[in-house]
Amino acid sequence: ETGVTQSPTHLIKTRGQQVTLRCSSQSGHNTVSWYQQALGQGPQFIFQYYREEENGRGNFPPRFSGLQFPNYSSELNVNALELDDSALYLCASTSSGSFNEQYFGPGTRLTVT
Amino acid sequence: GENVEQHPSTLSVQEGDSAVIKCTYSDSASNYFPWYKQELGKRPQLIIDIRSNVGEKKDQRIAVTLNKTAKHFSLHITETQPEDSAVYFCAASIGWSGNTGKLIFGQGTTLQVKP
């Protein structure tokens, strides 16, 4: 198991609401990436944070936003939830000494009704 | 745009047989190719990776090969066991020192190993 943790484990929200998901990186990891995994599909890149700055963004609308804190933990915020936002949200952290290897957290299962 | 194609989508083998999963990537600048195993309801787990300066890498029963010219890479599992049953994802990224590239994932292969 990796040292990456996420909260909450599961979440049910109503369309139009806002949600905040949290990720705690493995010790020594200063890069966090967020991915959305719809049922039966591969993860899709949302964005990445490196030393508290956004360092790349995938094809997701601005209502998906994020933060990284000085301790390298991170948040994913989604506004105006839509039914299609229902998915497993994964964060992955990378060590400063290993510029590619990404280790995933257990994910947050978001259901939008 | 960037794309990774993965085949087959499902693979069923008898215990002890070998399994091969193939991926093709579109961006010739990609230089890092990891493979993840995801069991039902669990996180993707990094099982092996290869960088573009290497053609083959092996770790016990698992091996990965890379053909940069053809933009193909493959996962080989030998002597399969029932616990190898899972969904396997390939991915490609462009990374460099001090910068972790985004991972572009394939669609996944569901591997079933029959006892």
Side-chain angles (χ1 to χ4, degrees):
Chain A
E1 293 295 325
T2 70
V4 184
T5 60
Q6 291 185 243
S7 63
T9 306
H10 296 89
L11 203 51
I12 299 174
K13 289 286 189 177
T14 303
R15 188 172 47 185
Q17 286 188 316
Q18 178 266 342
V19 69
T20 298
L21 310 182
R22 294 179 175 84
C23 173
S24 178
S25 305
Q26 190 163 327
S27 177
H29 288 198
N30 59 7
T31 300
V32 174
S33 305
W34 284 91
Y35 294 83
Q36 180 195 66
Q37 186 176 24
L39 203 59
Q41 297 184 21
Q44 283 203 305
F45 176 75
I46 302 174
F47 45 56
Q48 182 181 98
Y49 280 84
Y50 172 65
R51 292 185 177 178
E52 303 176 58
E53 297 282 334
E54 187 178 288
N55 185 41
R57 187 178 183 92
N59 190 26
F60 280 82
R63 59 190 186 85
F64 286 78
S65 63
L67 282 173
Q68 187 181 31
F69 301 100
N71 66 355
Y72 302 136
S73 64
S74 178
E75 284 183 357
L76 164 65
N77 299 289
V78 188
N79 293 323
L81 285 167
E82 301 177 0
L83 296 179
D84 285 349
D85 295 333
S86 296
L88 180 68
Y89 288 85
L90 296 159
C91 72
S93 73
T94 305
S95 165
S96 58
S98 173
F99 65 86
N100 284 139
E101 295 167 5
Q102 298 189 29
Y103 296 95
F104 283 90
T108 294
R109 172 71 63 187
L110 173 64
T111 302
V112 182
T113 62
Chain B
E2 303 148 316
N3 190 43
V4 174
E5 295 287 336
Q6 182 172 346
H7 299 280
S9 57
T10 60
L11 181 58
S12 182
V13 300
Q14 210 63 38
E15 182 178 359
D17 287 350
S18 295
V20 180
I21 303 171
K22 299 182 179 181
C23 289
T24 304
Y25 60 98
S26 61
D27 192 333
S28 57
S30 298
N31 61 1
Y32 175 66
F33 307 91
W35 286 86
Y36 288 86
K37 173 184 180 183
Q38 189 174 29
E39 297 176 41
L40 193 62
K42 297 198 172 179
R43 72 186 79 196
Q45 177 191 358
L46 178 65
I47 57 172
I48 195 168
D49 57 11
I50 191 168
R51 302 182 197 280
S52 58
N53 58 348
V54 175
E56 184 173 356
K57 183 177 179 181
K58 190 174 181 181
D59 182 3
Q60 298 182 356
R61 298 187 295 110
I62 295 174
V64 57
T65 58
L66 171 65
N67 182 330
K68 285 194 301 181
T69 303
K71 293 190 281 187
H72 288 170
F73 58 114
S74 300
L75 177 71
H76 305 253
I77 305 174
T78 59
E79 301 172 21
T80 54
Q81 301 168 3
E83 50 265 39
D84 293 330
S85 297
V87 180
Y88 290 81
F89 291 99
C90 63
S93 78
I94 303 168
W96 57 94
S97 182
N99 193 313
T100 298
K102 63 180 179 182
L103 293 174
I104 306 298
F105 283 86
Q107 299 88 339
T109 296
T110 300
L111 173 64
Q112 181 187 25
V113 180
K114 298 177 181 177

